[in-house]
């Protein structure tokens, strides 16, 4: 056994100080040390932390690992969604939504995203050219797309963003009473809000995803709690990670005019640029699983009933797979390995076609309209243990020289 | 009819398994079981009777790794 343990109560250093501001600002040096010296690290909180690409990629698909048996603490209602269920319940729920995020469906949703983005950029062009894109663009266009998919009007955007973040605080390791209370209140708010949305849909049916959930409920394929919390889940995943993908991309382009030019001039490079943004600035840094049997990781055997933290953000910077991993290089060969930002296997992101499309719509619209983008103030962050969060990203869009 | 699965694109989400359990399966490691039969591209003949399942699998694949040839 080569499990490294930071002994609780001793002076032993915590190699993954989840709540340390320095760690949250830049976790990558910590990840590098884990990968190199402690690839299976027993965290003081009891988790087994896995940081190397090979181990993470294999475990993330391992069908013997459970999410259903995990203790989500204050975020327990997540167990009413696909994120907290194993087969066969996971399969049952995922089948209800799988046709809603196919490329064919995404082509339809993309029109909504595009209209939303163009409307925002019209205003920017008519104004002074500056915008805090974090909420003003990245959140707005993804939220409006989600609401369209649901078949509802886009209302309560700021509250939904805030309440989702408050629930996210309880999803990481650790946590405190204040966060637990905020999470409970946020779930209560969502139950109430979504209850009203569902009642409204029952009174005036439409053809949105909420209508599909209601139909599944009436046919006995979903419980009422699954309906409510699945709507919550899509509200959350509809903006959380993809918003950060968009923010990270704009932030990069603001610092790297060459990347802005590459996105504009080389359409064939666009998917690679989006993948590289996801790899180097992975929005969700980890996923957790529970072992249900002895599970071998490297030369360590993790017993049944233990929590594994799979650090996908660390795997995405593993030099064994990605040469010069801290450098942004969208031309790196795909054959070396795929980033794990969307996860993989049965819990892999079902909305990744949509997320990629939304990011491409935003980036394309920007490079087609403007000659450049530059910082217009310092960005602000509210990183949690597992989610990279940009709260403010003020930028200035530069007008094309040939525009009126 | 033929099915072609691009195993370089595939990320083992298993959506095809839910859509067409007679045609696709996941192995003990959670990977598409037909990976043992091909490295890059898997091609096989599929009975017409499974056409509906197969088209659904191709449609729901998040990576669009499945192509159906009539």
């Amino acid at each position: 056994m080569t499990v490294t343990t930071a002994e609780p109560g001793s002076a032993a250093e915590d190699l993954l100080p989840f709540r340390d501001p320095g760690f949250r600002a830049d976790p990558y040096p910590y990840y590098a040390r884990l990968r190199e010296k402690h690839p299976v690290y027993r965290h003081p909180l009891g988790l087994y932390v896995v940081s190397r690409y090979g181990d993470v990629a294999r475990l993330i698909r391992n069908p013997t690992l459970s999410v259903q048996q995990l203790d989500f603490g204050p975020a327990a209602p997540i167990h009413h969604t696909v994120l907290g269920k194993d087969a066969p319940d996971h399969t049952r729920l995922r089948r209800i939504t799988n046709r809603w995020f196919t490329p064919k469906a995404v082509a339809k949703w993309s029109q909504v995203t595009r209209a939303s983005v163009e409307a925002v950029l019209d205003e920017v062009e008519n104004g002074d050219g500056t915008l805090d894109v974090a909420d003003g663009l990245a959140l707005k266009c993804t939220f409006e797309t989600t609401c369209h998919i649901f078949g509802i009007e886009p209302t309560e955007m700021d509250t939904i963003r805030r309440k989702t973040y408050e629930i996210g605080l309880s999803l990481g390791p650790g946590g405190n009473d204040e966060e637990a209370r905020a999470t409970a209140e946020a779930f209560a708010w969502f139950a109430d809000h979504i209850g009203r949305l569902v009642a409204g849909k029952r009174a005036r049916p439409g053809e949105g995803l909420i209508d599909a959930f209601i139909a599944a409920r009436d046919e006995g394929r979903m419980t009422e709690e699954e309906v409510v919390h699945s709507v919550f889940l899509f509200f959350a995943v509809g903006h959380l990670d993809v918003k950060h993908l968009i923010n990270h991309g704009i932030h990069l382009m603001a610092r790297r005019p060459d990347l802005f030019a590459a996105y504009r001039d080389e359409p064939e490079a666009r998917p690679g640029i989006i993948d590289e943004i996801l790899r180097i600035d992975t929005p969700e840094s980890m996923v957790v699983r529970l072992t249900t049997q002895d599970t071998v990781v490297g030369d360590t055997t993790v017993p049944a009933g233990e929590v594994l933290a799979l650090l996908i953000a660390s795997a995405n910077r593993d030099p064994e797979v990605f040469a010069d991993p801290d450098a942004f290089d969208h031309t790196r060969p795909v054959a070396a390995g795929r980033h794990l930002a969307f996860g993989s296997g049965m819990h892999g992101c079902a909305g990744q076609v949509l997320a990629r499309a939304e990011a491409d719509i935003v980036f394309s619209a920007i490079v087609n309209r403007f000659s450049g983008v530059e910082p217009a103030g310092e960005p602000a962050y509210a990183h949690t243990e597992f989610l990279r969060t940009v709260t403010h990203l003020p930028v200035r869009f530069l007008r094309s020289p040939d525009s009126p | 009819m033929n099915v072609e699965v691009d195993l370089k694109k595939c990320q083992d989400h298993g959506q095809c398994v839910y859509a067409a359990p007679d045609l696709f399966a996941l192995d003990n490691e959670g990977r598409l079981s037909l990976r043992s039969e091909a490295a890059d591209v898997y091609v096989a003949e599929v009975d017409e009777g499974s056409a509906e399942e197969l088209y659904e699998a191709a449609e729901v694949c998040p990576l669009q790794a499945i192509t159906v040839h009539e």
Side-chain angles (χ1 to χ4, degrees):
Chain A
M1 295 274 286
T2 55
V3 178
T4 313
T5 307
E7 289 162 32
S10 80
E13 192 185 357
D14 179 356
L15 299 178
L16 204 60
F18 288 118
R19 307 184 77 81
D20 181 277
F23 169 79
R24 290 196 182 184
D26 183 12
Y28 292 104
Y30 296 85
Y31 294 161
R33 191 161 52 155
L34 286 182
R35 278 193 311 268
E36 205 173 309
K37 301 227 166 84
H38 313 282
V40 183
Y41 170 57
R42 186 83 193 267
H43 190 270
L45 289 167
L47 315 159
Y48 285 80
V49 178
V50 182
S51 48
R52 286 185 180 167
Y53 183 94
D55 294 330
V56 173
R58 198 168 40 79
L59 289 168
I60 208 167
R61 283 189 297 261
N62 183 329
T64 71
L65 300 179
S66 173
V67 293
Q68 199 149 338
Q69 295 174 47
L70 278 168
D71 177 3
F72 285 145
I78 300 273
H79 281 301
H80 295 299
T81 76
V82 281
L83 281 193
K85 288 193 191 291
D86 302 334
D89 284 337
H90 171 271
T91 318
R92 169 174 58 82
L93 288 182
R94 199 153 161 171
R95 279 211 75 167
I96 292 168
T97 53
N98 64 5
R99 277 179 181 275
W100 287 76
F101 300 96
T102 63
K104 211 195 290 177
V106 167
K108 218 163 67 176
W109 313 140
S110 292
Q111 295 173 18
V112 179
T113 315
R114 201 168 288 121
S116 175
V117 170
E118 296 297 343
V120 169
L121 296 183
D122 281 347
E123 275 192 44
V124 168
E125 239 174 356
N126 293 330
D128 67 356
T130 64
L131 179 70
D132 185 344
V133 295
D135 283 3
L137 179 59
L139 173 63
K140 189 168 191 292
C141 73
T142 52
F143 179 76
E144 290 183 359
T145 305
T146 304
C147 291
H148 179 85
I149 295 170
F150 276 148
I152 59 172
E153 291 299 314
T155 61
E156 304 279 7
M157 179 175 86
D158 292 325
T159 312
I160 285 169
R161 172 186 52 72
R162 197 174 70 246
K163 298 288 180 189
T164 303
Y165 183 78
E166 285 165 2
I167 289 171
L169 286 176
S170 288
L171 281 180
N176 57 37
D177 290 350
E178 198 187 323
E179 288 175 3
R181 195 164 48 244
T183 296
E185 283 172 17
F187 273 118
W189 183 86
F190 271 114
D192 182 61
H193 179 61
I194 294 166
R196 271 181 282 119
L197 291 176
V198 170
K201 278 291 188 182
R202 283 205 179 275
R204 293 175 54 191
E207 292 178 348
L209 182 54
I210 293 180
D211 298 285
F213 286 155
I214 291 171
R217 162 89 177 99
D218 291 347
E219 290 160 16
R221 288 183 290 134
M222 276 179 110
T223 68
E224 192 68 31
E225 280 179 315
E226 286 169 352
V227 171
V228 169
H229 293 96
S230 296
V231 174
F232 154 69
L233 178 69
F234 284 97
F235 265 135
V237 296
H239 76 268
L240 271 182
D241 308 72
V242 61
K243 181 180 90 169
H244 301 308
L245 161 61
I246 293 168
N247 285 330
H248 295 153
I250 295 174
H251 194 207
L252 263 167
M253 287 188 198
R255 288 170 297 161
R256 295 258 317 251
D258 60 313
L259 201 61
F260 184 98
Y263 209 92
R264 179 188 58 210
D265 301 335
E266 304 163 36
E268 68 286 354
R270 291 174 183 177
I273 292 175
I274 289 177
D275 274 324
E276 187 66 351
I277 297 166
L278 287 162
R279 184 193 72 79
I280 204 156
D281 222 341
T282 307
E284 221 170 299
S285 55
M286 70 167 92
V287 300
V288 289
R289 300 283 189 268
L290 195 82
T291 54
T292 60
Q293 58 189 54
D294 281 3
T295 303
V296 177
V297 190
D299 47 14
T300 299
T301 300
V302 180
E306 297 288 346
V307 177
L308 293 177
L310 309 179
L311 294 183
I312 55 182
S314 168
N316 286 346
R317 298 254 194 142
D318 190 336
E320 291 288 318
V321 178
F322 305 102
D324 196 5
D326 298 329
F328 186 99
D329 176 10
H330 62 275
T331 64
R332 56 177 75 243
V334 182
R338 240 172 226 293
H339 69 76
L340 298 170
F342 287 120
S344 181
M346 65 180 278
H347 289 288
C349 176
Q352 62 177 286
V353 180
L354 177 60
R356 284 177 201 278
E358 288 175 329
D360 177 57
I361 287 165
V362 173
F363 300 152
S364 296
I366 290 172
V367 299
N368 287 339
R369 262 195 201 223
F370 302 101
S371 63
V373 55
E374 58 182 33
E378 283 300 306
Y381 305 95
H383 300 313
T384 74
E385 297 95 313
F386 85 108
L387 193 70
R388 309 294 290 166
T389 303
V390 185
T391 51
H392 294 289
L393 184 57
V395 298
R396 179 175 298 104
F397 294 102
L398 308 175
R399 289 185 169 79
S400 300
D402 54 349
S403 69
Chain B
M1 64 199 307
N2 280 312
V3 62
E4 185 182 316
V5 184
D6 185 336
L7 295 169
K8 293 248 183 230
K9 279 191 185 169
C10 169
Q11 286 180 24
D12 310 287
H13 283 240
Q15 293 296 302
C16 55
V17 182
Y18 314 149
D22 298 336
L23 302 176
F24 299 97
L26 293 178
D27 65 18
N28 290 335
E29 296 210 315
R31 304 192 58 123
L32 207 59
S33 59
L34 51 82
R35 282 185 186 279
S36 61
E37 294 171 47
D40 294 345
V41 179
Y42 170 88
V43 181
E45 196 161 317
V46 174
D47 189 85
E48 296 287 337
S50 300
E52 199 177 325
E53 277 188 43
L54 178 58
Y55 276 110
E56 185 182 341
E59 191 188 337
V60 299
C61 172
L63 284 306
Q64 293 294 287
I66 303 172
T67 315
V68 184
H69 300 288
E70 292 278 357

